[in-house]
Amino acid sequence: MMSFDPKDFRRALGQFPTGVTVITTRDAGGAPIGMTASSFNTLSIDPALVLWSIDKRAWSLESFTKGRGFAVNVLRNDQVELSNGFARRGEDKFAGIDTRDCANGSPLLPDVAAWFECNTWEVYEGGDHFIIVGEVTDYHYEENVSSLVFHNGRYAVPLTHPAVKAPTESLQAHGFLDDYLLYQLRQALNAYAADFYPQLSQFGINTEEWRVLTLLADGKPMTQENISRFVSQPLQELADIGEWLQEKGLLSVSGNEFQLTDKGQQLADKLLGKAIEHEGKVLSGLGAGQQQCLKEGLKVLQRSFA
């Protein structure tokens, strides 16, 4: 059997986007159990079957593999903290969360994009995981909400691809589309990222490593919890990135803190220089006053949604 580096294999699998869910149930004593999982998938429409997988080392393994049912809570794009909370160990994950039970007793989380109540259909061996198949007995979903996605080792949100041409005749008839803020922001972001991120390959890093290195470029140590907030990355995946950068000699890890090595600092300085150079080219068509106005306006816009 071919052997792979676990971190590199996970990175390859991360190229496939998955939704983020919290699977819930109750243990033998009736206490609520919950864990974040991105392995949820559909299996059959008739009968209505879904599946997900659980690590054999999970502390809640028996509650899910021996239990009679569970619930799948599909998270919305603004529920990153909920996902992180249920991915941690050693704490009351349900503290402060107003849940209600579905018919099989599993807790349902509030304001999720969708939920599925399931009876356990079968549990199968799957290497270092168990595959749990559930029969859906009830479900609910919200219209016009965006779900949380996991892609390339970080949280993301699904967007309509710019190459997909939706009917725009009515907007164009009113002269609105080309002046619509959401459309302009999306097009600008897509073009900026598509032009900049491929240039990182010349430094031998990917976008996730770039975010961590540039965040630490001031030379000060930073806790993994704080880094996770800034780079929209779950703690486990961030720990993998930290190990990867440590193996490259770019990062030192002390307890819960990351700090750049001298080699890492040199690379971070180059990356910042590259980012500044790229930004200058992108904004070269604007005057200095226009550039500052654009940035300040975007900051004000962000604060308006806080």
Side-chain angles (χ1 to χ4, degrees):
M1 180 181 295
M2 185 175 292
S3 177
F4 300 114
D5 179 282
K7 292 190 294 295
D8 194 50
F9 185 49
R10 281 197 294 271
R11 176 174 291 184
L13 294 173
Q15 298 298 314
F16 179 70
T18 59
V20 182
T21 68
V22 172
I23 315 293
T24 57
T25 189
R26 291 190 179 273
D27 65 15
I33 301 292
M35 62 177 292
T36 300
S38 59
S39 57
F40 171 69
N41 213 329
T42 58
L43 178 61
S44 170
I45 300 299
D46 187 14
L49 301 178
V50 297
L51 62 82
W52 66 288
S53 62
I54 183 172
D55 194 315
K56 290 182 177 178
R57 300 169 298 177
W59 70 271
S60 56
L61 180 68
E62 187 170 343
S63 296
F64 284 111
T65 56
K66 304 296 183 183
R68 294 186 296 177
F70 57 89
V72 179
N73 298 268
V74 180
L75 300 188
R76 296 190 332 189
N77 65 346
D78 59 353
Q79 294 179 317
V80 169
E81 289 304 317
L82 204 57
S83 173
N84 284 335
F86 279 93
R88 298 188 183 104
R89 295 189 179 190
E91 60 184 63
D92 182 3
K93 300 179 181 180
F94 290 88
I97 300 176
D98 185 19
T99 65
R100 63 184 180 87
D101 289 352
C102 60
N104 69 16
S106 300
L108 298 176
L109 303 181
D111 303 320
V112 292
W115 57 259
F116 301 88
E117 175 191 342
C118 305
N119 290 333
T120 302
W121 175 279
E122 189 58 85
V123 179
Y124 299 99
E125 286 272 355
D128 56 10
H129 280 60
F130 281 113
I131 302 167
I132 301 178
V133 178
E135 181 181 20
V136 179
T137 55
D138 196 9
Y139 68 91
H140 175 77
Y141 63 94
E142 296 292 336
E143 297 275 10
N144 301 319
V145 300
S146 183
S147 299
L148 188 61
V149 173
F150 189 70
H151 181 229
N152 272 343
R154 66 192 299 261
Y155 292 117
V157 295
L159 294 172
T160 302
H161 196 283
V164 177
K165 302 298 184 181
T168 58
E169 290 82 358
S170 61
L171 292 176
Q172 290 174 335
H174 292 86
F176 182 66
L177 181 60
D178 287 340
D179 198 43
Y180 183 39
L181 178 61
L182 179 59
Y183 177 80
Q184 294 298 333
L185 289 173
R186 188 188 69 184
Q187 295 296 95
L189 174 61
N190 289 338
Y192 199 113
D195 188 58
F196 177 67
Y197 287 147
Q199 299 183 41
L200 297 176
S201 60
Q202 65 183 278
F203 298 98
I205 63 167
N206 62 21
T207 56
E208 286 66 50
E209 294 168 335
W210 173 75
R211 293 185 183 98
V212 174
L213 290 171
T214 52
L215 187 62
L216 295 170
D218 63 359
K220 298 178 182 178
M222 196 170 187
T223 66
Q224 295 183 41
E225 286 79 6
N226 280 338
I227 296 172
S228 176
R229 288 175 45 244
F230 281 104
V231 301
S232 299
Q233 201 161 37
L235 285 171
Q236 180 56 58
E237 281 65 28
L238 180 60
D240 290 342
I241 293 294
E243 289 183 23
W244 199 275
L245 291 173
Q246 191 173 29
E247 290 174 7
K248 293 181 178 181
L250 301 171
L251 191 72
S252 65
V253 181
S254 177
N256 192 38
E257 289 186 333
F258 287 177
Q259 187 170 16
L260 294 181
T261 63
D262 290 342
K263 180 180 178 181
Q265 185 67 59
Q266 292 174 10
L267 178 57
D269 291 342
K270 291 180 181 178
L271 292 171
L272 283 174
K274 185 65 176 179
I276 293 171
E277 176 190 354
H278 181 263
E279 180 188 274
K281 290 180 179 179
V282 171
L283 298 180
S284 61
L286 301 177
Q290 290 177 309
Q291 294 180 24
Q292 190 62 32
C293 183
L294 172 62
K295 292 183 177 182
E296 291 300 326
L298 289 173
K299 291 177 183 178
V300 171
L301 186 62
Q302 293 175 53
R303 288 195 293 268
S304 71
F305 293 104

